[in-house]
Amino acid sequence: MAGRTRGRGLGISALVLGVLGLVLAVGAVAWLRAAYGVSTLAGDSMRPTYARGTGIVWERVDGGEVRRGDVVVFTPPASYGIGAPLVKRVIGVGGDRVRCCTAVGSREGVSVNGKPVEEPYVYGGDADGVHRAYDVTVPQGRLFLLGDYRADSQDSRFHLDEQSGTVSESAVLGRVTDERTVPALGVTAGLLGGVLVLVGVGLGIGFLVVRRREAASVPAMPWPAPPMGG
């Protein structure tokens, strides 16, 4: 009786842990895929903030949620001639007037709505990069995007004849984040789910072993002896 009780307990534990682990692992993976993306930078346009080969994490947000200064991942227009997503910084949003270049201290820089923009993130402190003047008003629902390495970035400056060089908010895939706590919790939950599945499988194997031993320990019933003739 004790063996049967133990075997039944192993079976129930295996089922509960296996199902719980599977739900947790699948749910964590599905949530991570829906909430975040991961990319690796293939170019230098975001130096020094993000160097070539840097792995970045981006949270999936609607393009209307991004603000000036955010770094976004977006699908470039066909005029860019690039089939892969790009990473750039938001300089202007719908309604903003973006100009280059105006004096910012001893350097020339970008202004938004008549106010110089402090850009400590630009490579070498050069907010211009290619000495290409522009003065655009960003249409509603669109974004003006620049790379942090202004001398080596294909961005809004080179497509001014198409919607003033802007990109539709709908092209935004996500916003780059340096906050890794939340996605790390999701990864941890997925790993925990995987461990629970493995434990459940182990208990299931134990359950089968116990059942096999129980079956082997049951004595075979003897066949009745044939009647003897008188």
Side-chain angles (χ1 to χ4, degrees), residues 91-158:
I91 303 300
V93 298
D96 285 342
R97 182 183 181 184
V98 182
R99 296 183 61 195
C100 186
C101 295
T102 56
V104 180
S106 60
R107 295 177 179 270
E108 291 186 327
V110 176
S111 68
V112 175
N113 299 326
K115 298 180 180 180
V117 179
E118 293 292 337
E119 297 188 282
Y121 43 75
V122 296
Y123 184 80
D126 184 3
D128 179 5
V130 294
H131 305 293
R132 190 184 187 94
Y134 50 88
D135 184 349
V136 302
T137 297
V138 182
Q140 292 296 330
R142 301 187 71 85
L143 305 168
F144 193 85
L145 307 174
L146 298 178
D148 287 355
Y149 189 2
R150 300 288 159 80
D152 188 16
S153 174
Q154 182 179 179
D155 46 42
S156 291
R157 296 170 296 172
F158 302 100

Side-chain angles (χ1 to χ4, degrees), residues 178-221:
D178 293 326
E179 173 55 55
R180 305 297 173 88
T181 302
V182 175
L185 289 175
V187 172
T188 301
L191 292 175
L192 177 60
V195 170
L196 291 178
V197 169
L198 292 176
V199 172
V201 170
L203 292 176
I205 294 173
F207 167 70
L208 294 176
V209 170
V210 170
R211 287 295 299 272
R212 182 170 297 179
R213 288 177 178 174
E214 289 176 354
S217 66
V218 176
M221 296 296 294

Side-chain angles (χ1 to χ4, degrees), residues 40 72-75 151 156 172 177 201 206 220:
T40 300
V72 297
V73 179
F74 68 101
T75 302
S156 291
V172 173
T177 177
V201 170

Side-chain angles (χ1 to χ4, degrees), residues 15-26:
L15 180 62
V16 171
L17 290 179
V19 171
L20 178 61
L22 187 62
V23 170
L24 185 59
V26 172

Side-chain angles (χ1 to χ4, degrees), residues 36-112:
Y36 293 92
V38 178
S39 302
T40 300
L41 291 184
D44 294 316
S45 69
M46 288 305 296
R47 291 176 61 195
T49 309
Y50 302 108
R52 180 193 296 264
T54 299
I56 58 174
V57 176
W58 41 277
E59 53 182 339
R60 299 183 189 276
V61 299
D62 183 86
E65 298 179 39
V66 301
R67 299 292 180 262
R68 302 183 200 97
D70 287 346
V71 177
V72 297
V73 179
F74 68 101
T75 302
S79 60
Y80 277 58
I82 300 174
L86 295 178
V87 179
K88 305 295 178 187
R89 189 178 296 274
V90 178
I91 303 300
V93 298
D96 285 342
R97 182 183 181 184
V98 182
R99 296 183 61 195
C100 186
C101 295
T102 56
V104 180
S106 60
R107 295 177 179 270
E108 291 186 327
V110 176
S111 68
V112 175

